[in-house]
Amino acid sequence: MQATPNSRAMRSQMESQMNFMNELTATSVDSLRKLSELNMHWAQQFVEGALNTSRQLLACSDHYQVGSTMMGQIQPTTERIRHYQEQLMNVIAGAQLDLTRAAEAHMPEAGRGAAAALAGALLRPAAAATERAAPRREGATFDTWSGPAFAGGSGRPH
């Protein structure tokens, strides 16, 4: 297969797009890994908290003590949930920032490559058409100030 300027531009464009997709994929996988680690850590804390609460409830001797033990677990549980939400928002914000950086780094390059490929694809046929039309134009002369709109030769339309 012969390498033409168009195929080189196309290859460059495809490589640029592949690099962009690879970086987006790597960023997405890293974000999912962080999210999975956060969820595993939170699940572990949740199970440990539930086991601790169960042990405390089993150690209670009367029903009043059960109520106070349950009420005592509300604040630590809500703190764990609030902490999880903060960490979750940090992971999501970090993922968004990483994806934005990757897009900003590759989009101008991808845009330039696409513009160059498009310009090449449009200019080559136009240049060829111009070259084919050149012999016909050599024999013809055009008087831009003649014709029905410019009757009388004054240079102004009537």
Side-chain angles (χ1 to χ4, degrees), residues 2-141:
Q2 182 180 4
T4 63
N6 190 26
S7 67
R8 277 185 250 128
M10 196 64 114
R11 170 177 266 153
S12 173
Q13 177 66 23
M14 292 301 291
E15 286 175 358
S16 175
Q17 288 179 0
M18 290 302 295
N19 290 339
F20 177 54
M21 293 304 292
N22 285 338
E23 189 166 341
L24 285 181
T25 302
T27 301
S28 298
V29 167
D30 186 52
S31 298
L32 288 173
R33 180 191 54 79
K34 289 176 184 176
L35 182 62
S36 295
E37 288 175 359
L38 174 65
N39 285 336
M40 290 299 290
H41 180 70
W42 188 77
Q44 183 181 13
Q45 284 183 339
F46 181 76
V47 169
E48 287 173 0
L51 287 173
N52 187 29
T53 302
S54 298
R55 286 186 193 115
Q56 289 176 3
L57 289 174
L58 289 173
C60 292
S61 58
D62 63 354
H63 61 281
Y64 294 113
Q65 195 176 13
V66 169
S68 64
T69 300
M70 291 298 292
M71 295 300 283
Q73 292 302 314
I74 291 175
Q75 171 129 16
T77 302
T78 55
E79 284 298 315
R80 282 194 296 270
I81 292 171
R82 186 189 57 75
H83 190 272
Y84 170 77
Q85 288 174 336
E86 287 175 3
Q87 289 178 327
L88 179 62
M89 295 311 295
N90 287 338
V91 168
I92 291 170
Q96 182 180 12
L97 182 63
D98 291 343
L99 290 171
T100 301
R101 283 182 186 156
E104 286 174 348
H106 287 278
M107 284 301 173
E109 179 183 323
R112 283 191 302 271
L118 180 61
L122 293 176
L123 290 177
R124 276 188 289 284
T130 302
E131 287 178 19
R132 286 191 304 265
R136 285 183 263 155
R137 280 187 293 171
E138 290 174 3
T141 59

